[in-house]
Amino acid sequence: MPISLSDTLHNKTGTWRTFRPIHKNKLPPCNKKCPTGENIQKYIYLLLNKKYEEAYREIKKDNPIPSITGRVCPHPCESKCNRGEFDEPIAIHHIERFLGDYGLELKDNWEIEEKKEKIAIIGSGPAGLACAYHLRKKGYKIKIFEAENEIGGMLRIGIPDYRLPKDILDKEIKKLQEMGIEIETGVRINHPLDLAGNYDAIFVGTGAHISRKMGIPGEELDGVISGLEFLKKLNLGEKVKIGKKVAVIGGGNTAIDAARCALRLGAEVKILYRRSRNEMPAIESEVEEAEKEGIKIEFLTTPVKIIGKNQKVSTLECIRMELGEPDESGRRRPIPIKGSEFTLDFDTVILAIGEKVDLKLFENIETTSWGVKTDQYTRTTHEKVFAGGDCVTGPSTVVEALGAGKRASIAIDCFLKGEPLPVIKDKKPVTIENINLDYFERKKRKEPEKIEFNRRVNSFDEIWLRFDEKDLLEEAERCFSCGVCNRCDNCWVFCPDLSIIRNEEYSVNYDYCKGCGICARECPRYVITMEEER
Ligand SMILES: Cc1cc2nc3c(=O)[nH]c(=O)nc-3n(C[C@H](O)[C@H](O)[C@H](O)COP(=O)(O)OP(=O)(O)OC[C@H]3O[C@@H](n4cnc5c(N)ncnc54)[C@H](O)[C@@H]3O)c2cc1C
């Protein structure tokens, strides 16, 4: 924080102290919170100066698929945006989507210095794609092995078109292939070490694809389907049979998307979730959107039996729950309330109570109870095998998988060069208390439009439209640029002894500076700090 003139001159013991202003950029909270380490402040600054291509290339340093994260990322960056404590967080993901889409039309002319080492990647989801991308940029020869006939993992088979149209995914994948990344589909690898003879390192990004069963009577009846299977069929363009009254069991992304797809196929849909809204693992905004579309959610409710007529689902016997102490996941444990059983009629039951990792793939490599065991740099207990994404964490998010793929690329590069890993430093980000709020006006967050409601619930058309340029720039203008100079000139304007020099970095002529601290106090974004001269 800025200091007063008296602080500048004396400390408590009366000895003379001299403080000098230092211009030094700090860490914005959005940048810190992004698992891929995107320099969000920087691309917003470039965009404000209408340098769209440069802004796009700035995102691409860390994120291989910005038009996808701009659509589906739950944007942890926004949850830490200092603007959120002032009025509303910056709509970072809509800005990212604009730039990602802008970049889809550009050619990425990579100048790659080829290396001789070959790396195998198992799985073409976001973790595998990110690892491939960052290693390819470093010049390694990359081959991805994918079990499905289509590329993209959950981006392809899980997330429906109304949130992520397939042509966007195809364009991003094409860009990666144009870098020279080879992808072979329809090949299921049985064990990572099966590839050890032909490759110098192996990255495993196989996700979590085994649907959990409920273990209740009636699960085998006609009309019971797993959420992931339902979504996969729909997303791959297969015909899916669905009834008129659909129950979806679960509270994660699979449950919400399965419910919204069933609604779009014309069914009346109800979600049954055994905990309360606070414990739902699905992305909060997607739950809200589902409810707006007319999907009802029965909280604290779980089925105990699926009852059939002629081998076909007809009724669900359910029980009400109450919440007890937290379980190993940290969420409060649901406990059935004795005698609260009741029945509801449905003709289809979609079970979406979560996905597990297929641990068979990791024989002789250490695992945890939910996935593969790795350190924070994705190294497994076998020196040649690295792993990241859902197969390590259990079901998580696209951006976490992208971050893991990026860390793996650093670890694999160091492994192949025989170099030590860089130390991950935990830097403190700029907080709202550091910002001089006198320089900012309260302004409502801008968001793009959505498509018209009737079209939305009756089709799989993408819901969100893209920012138009005017709104985009107005939204970007709201950014505090926490801790990073955006050349507002305040330090230069307010300096009473004309000691600030307006060059590229804003330096200080210390021959004139009296250390009054006014420049630090009037810097809106905490770039200048007064540091004691020694
Ligand atoms: C319905 C649904 C909606 C979601 N919505 C969102 C969202 O909006 N936002 C968000 O951030 N996250 C969302 N998620 C989560 C997100 O999709 C995942 O966290 C992310 O895709 C994990 O990436 P991954 O690369 O680890 O695994 P995956 O995306 O699962 O990819 C793994 C790939 O490995 C392949 N594979 C598996 N085994 C083998 C083998 N033996 N040999 C070869 N290939 C193999 C699989 O076929 C698959 O293609 C959603 C998930 C689901 C299911």
Side-chain angles (χ1 to χ4, degrees), residues 260 263-264 289-295 453 456-457 463:
R260 295 173 80 187
L263 179 98
R264 281 161 173 76
E289 293 297 325
E291 286 182 304
K292 279 187 206 155
E293 288 172 3
I295 291 165
F453 188 79
R456 168 174 163 180
V457 291
I463 296 172

Side-chain angles (χ1 to χ4, degrees), residues 389-511:
D390 283 5
C391 70
V392 171
T393 56
S396 181
T397 60
V398 172
V399 73
E400 287 292 350
L402 293 177
K406 182 178 161 191
R407 291 196 304 282
S409 74
I410 297 169
I412 291 172
D413 187 43
C414 288
F415 166 67
L416 294 175
K417 289 179 175 159
E419 288 174 1
L421 284 165
V423 179
I424 299 178
K425 288 192 206 114
D426 191 24
K427 271 169 83 179
K428 240 180 94 183
V430 172
T431 62
I432 183 100
E433 290 75 27
N434 302 135
I435 304 291
N436 188 340
L437 296 174
D438 292 346
Y439 285 101
F440 298 96
E441 262 176 57
R442 288 195 159 72
K443 259 195 194 150
K444 259 193 105 48
R445 165 184 164 114
K446 290 246 171 199
E447 287 195 338
E449 303 281 315
K450 292 178 198 159
I451 59 168
E452 189 261 319
F453 188 79
N454 257 334
R455 177 173 155 209
R456 168 174 163 180
V457 291
N458 289 303
S459 76
F460 284 80
D461 291 351
E462 186 171 19
I463 296 172
W464 283 98
L465 299 173
R466 196 181 308 150
F467 254 137
D468 65 34
E469 201 176 349
K470 180 174 161 290
D471 285 352
L472 170 83
L473 292 172
E474 275 185 33
E475 183 56 16
E477 191 100 55
R478 292 176 63 242
C479 175
F480 282 161
S481 184
C482 304
V484 184
C485 180
N486 75 349
R487 304 195 66 80
C488 71
D489 270 353
N490 262 19
C491 53
W492 179 75
V493 169
F494 280 96
C495 176
D497 45 28
L498 307 180
S499 59
I500 305 272
I501 307 161
R502 247 160 114 222
N503 52 14
E504 213 164 287
E505 302 284 306
Y506 284 97
S507 49
V508 181
N509 184 340
Y510 293 122
D511 290 341

Side-chain angles (χ1 to χ4, degrees), residues 72 123 125-127 146-147 153-154 163 189 205-206 209 257 390 396-398:
V72 303
E146 169 54 55
M154 290 301 188
R163 296 204 290 124
I189 304 297
T206 45
H209 287 238
D257 276 328
D390 283 5
S396 181
T397 60
V398 172

Side-chain angles (χ1 to χ4, degrees), residues 120-124 143-151 182-192 194-195 199 204-206 361:
I121 291 179
I122 312 175
S124 69
K143 176 142 182 194
I144 301 182
F145 297 92
E146 169 54 55
E148 297 288 339
N149 292 324
E150 303 264 357
I151 304 166
E182 199 188 330
I183 309 179
E184 192 176 340
T185 55
V187 200
R188 184 168 292 278
I189 304 297
N190 291 322
H191 195 283
D194 292 350
L195 301 168
Y199 293 89
V204 189
T206 45
L361 199 71

